[in-house]
Amino acid sequence: MTADAETAALRVRRLIRLTRDLSERLTLEVEAMRGHRAQDLAQGVAETQEMANLYRRESAVVKADPAAIAAAPEADRRALIEATESFEAILAEHAVTVEAARQVSEGLVRTIAAEVAGARAQGVGYGASGQAVAGDGRAVALNRTA
């Protein structure tokens, strides 16, 4: 094997390993979200972000210069394609799960804010003397972004 082929093979194998590790990580996150175990997600967020950034950088290098892996053995390149296809499917599932969790969370916040606002509005009016009765002066802010 030539030096170029060895370098290409190492790059492909490293990218396969990274893709599989990131896929495994995202699968665990999906399982945690579906199992209502948000605390399990918090522990690995930084590591997932680091892996995702590394994957993005490595795949950008290959995309910018496909010749960098062209000399790798066919079996390795095929394994990279399979790992990438699997990763893309897991990534799509992860995105759907995160979006569902976001919508549920925002719905809960809106419901609580509406309950607080409704409870505050009750009892505000005029008293027997014709004076306005002071309402609850606490404010509630609803941020519509997650």
Side-chain angles (χ1 to χ4, degrees):
M1 194 180 267
T2 68
D4 287 344
E6 271 186 54
T7 302
L10 287 173
R11 174 166 284 188
V12 168
R13 289 180 190 138
R14 185 173 63 235
L15 195 50
I16 290 169
R17 181 78 262 146
L18 178 60
T19 304
R20 288 179 178 161
D21 288 349
L22 190 53
S23 295
E24 183 178 315
R25 186 103 178 138
L26 293 180
T27 299
L28 292 174
E29 287 185 5
V30 167
E31 290 170 0
M33 283 186 273
R34 288 186 177 158
H36 307 288
R37 298 183 327 268
Q39 71 278 4
D40 293 352
L41 295 174
Q43 297 168 353
V45 169
E47 187 176 342
T48 301
Q49 288 175 340
E50 184 179 321
M51 289 172 69
N53 286 334
L54 183 58
Y55 176 82
R56 187 174 30 84
R57 283 192 303 268
E58 290 290 326
S59 60
V61 167
V62 171
K63 186 176 181 179
D65 183 19
I69 63 167
E74 177 69 25
D76 287 346
R77 287 185 284 139
R78 220 174 306 116
L80 177 58
I81 290 169
E82 290 171 11
T84 302
E85 289 171 348
S86 175
F87 170 69
E88 288 173 354
I90 292 166
L91 188 59
E93 182 181 5
H94 186 271
V96 167
T97 306
V98 167
E99 178 61 19
R102 183 191 64 79
Q103 287 178 0
V104 167
S105 179
E106 285 182 2
L108 287 171
V109 169
R110 281 193 202 101
T111 301
I112 292 168
E115 286 293 321
V116 169
R120 248 201 275 143
Q122 296 173 2
V124 176
Y126 293 97
S129 65
Q131 296 282 342
V133 176
D136 185 352
R138 292 176 284 182
V140 173
L142 174 59
N143 184 349
R144 295 190 185 271
T145 61

